[in-house]
Amino acid sequence: MDVLDAIKSRRSIAKMKDQPVPKELIEQVIEAGTWAPNRYLTEPWRFFVIQSNGRNELSKVMENIVIQSGIDLESEEGKRKLEKEKNKPFRAPVIIAVATEVTENGKALRIEELGAVYAAIENMLLAAHGLGLAAYWKTGNACYNPLMKEFFHLKEKDEVLALINLGYADSEKNPPHKRPLQELIKWIE
C-alpha cells in the first residue's frame, strides 16, 4: 500500500469484533511507533498492552475517575456516565496505552517529547491499517487523570497520550469531509 493512499484511506473505527489479535501483529504496530522521529533520540514513548483480564483493571480505574469527579452517582445521568466509562475498555480486544516518559537530559524540551509520541501514535495507526486492523485513538479527561498515571506507574511529569483500541473492524466508515487545501495554506514567498 502506497503511504499516501494509506494516509488517505485510514479511518478511526470504533466498532470492533470480539476476536483476539495475534501478539505478532500487536508488536508490529508498536514497533512502527518506535520509528517516529524524536529529537536527541530520547525515545520517550512507553507502551502498555491491555487485553483479556487487564481490561477489568482499566475498567476499575475508569470507574474510580468518574467517582472522583464528584458526579451524582444516584442521578440517571451519573449512573449512565459511570456505566459508559466502566465499559470503555471492553470495546476492543486490545488497548494499547501510549505514554510519554519525559526525558530529564536538560536538552529535550517537554513539548518535543510529547510531539514525538504523537508522531509514534500516527505511525501505529497507519501500521494497524496496513496490517488489516482497525484502530481508534481515544483520549479525554480520563487519559490525563492522575489515577491513570498511577495505574501505569508514571511520574507526574509523564503523560498518557492515547488509549488505542485495536482489533478487527466490525463496521466501515466513509471518508470524512476535508476542507480544500487552498483554505489551509498560506504561501510566504
Side-chain angles (χ1 to χ4, degrees):
M1 176 182 307
D2 173 78
V3 70
L4 292 177
D5 289 337
I7 290 168
K8 291 176 182 178
S9 63
R10 190 206 66 77
R11 301 285 175 269
S12 294
I13 306 290
K15 192 168 182 179
M16 297 181 194
K17 297 176 183 174
D18 187 22
Q19 177 182 342
V21 177
K23 182 179 180 181
E24 299 77 32
L25 293 182
I26 297 168
E27 288 176 342
Q28 286 180 27
V29 168
I30 293 171
E31 182 182 19
T34 68
W35 286 95
N38 57 110
R39 192 158 187 222
Y40 300 111
L41 302 178
T42 59
E43 300 183 76
W45 35 73
R46 299 297 177 265
F47 308 98
F48 304 87
V49 179
I50 305 152
Q51 53 189 359
S52 305
N53 291 330
R55 295 180 301 168
N56 292 322
E57 294 178 41
L58 182 59
S59 175
K60 199 70 173 142
V61 173
M62 303 291 274
E63 177 181 11
N64 288 335
I65 289 171
V66 172
I67 292 168
Q68 184 189 66
S69 74
I71 195 166
D72 178 8
L73 298 174
E74 298 302 317
S75 71
E76 286 305 311
E77 179 187 345
K79 289 176 187 176
R80 259 193 317 276
K81 173 79 172 161
L82 183 63
E83 200 60 30
K84 180 180 176 183
E85 292 299 310
K86 284 171 47 177
N87 288 325
K88 282 183 178 179
F90 303 102
R91 293 180 179 171
V94 178
I95 300 166
I96 304 172
V98 185
T100 303
E101 189 174 279
V102 178
T103 308
E104 296 176 357
N105 69 5
K107 293 181 181 179
L109 299 175
R110 175 182 174 77
I111 194 165
E112 292 172 341
E113 299 280 83
L114 298 172
V117 176
Y118 286 128
I121 293 165
E122 179 65 8
N123 280 6
M124 294 170 70
L125 297 174
L126 289 168
H129 177 52
L131 292 168
L133 296 169
Y136 194 82
W137 179 355
K138 299 290 293 174
T139 58
N141 289 332
C143 266
Y144 315 120
N145 189 286
L147 291 178
M148 193 67 74
K149 288 183 185 186
E150 184 180 307
F151 179 66
F152 294 115
H153 304 286
L154 297 172
K155 295 177 183 170
E156 187 177 331
K157 65 178 177 51
D158 302 333
E159 296 292 341
V160 176
L161 296 181
L163 296 173
I164 299 175
N165 290 357
L166 190 68
Y168 293 97
D170 200 16
S171 65
E172 293 200 19
K173 203 169 185 182
N174 292 326
H177 169 75
K178 295 289 182 182
R179 291 170 52 189
L181 196 55
Q182 295 74 17
E183 291 180 17
L184 304 173
I185 298 175
K186 180 176 181 177
W187 296 92
I188 301 172
E189 298 182 40

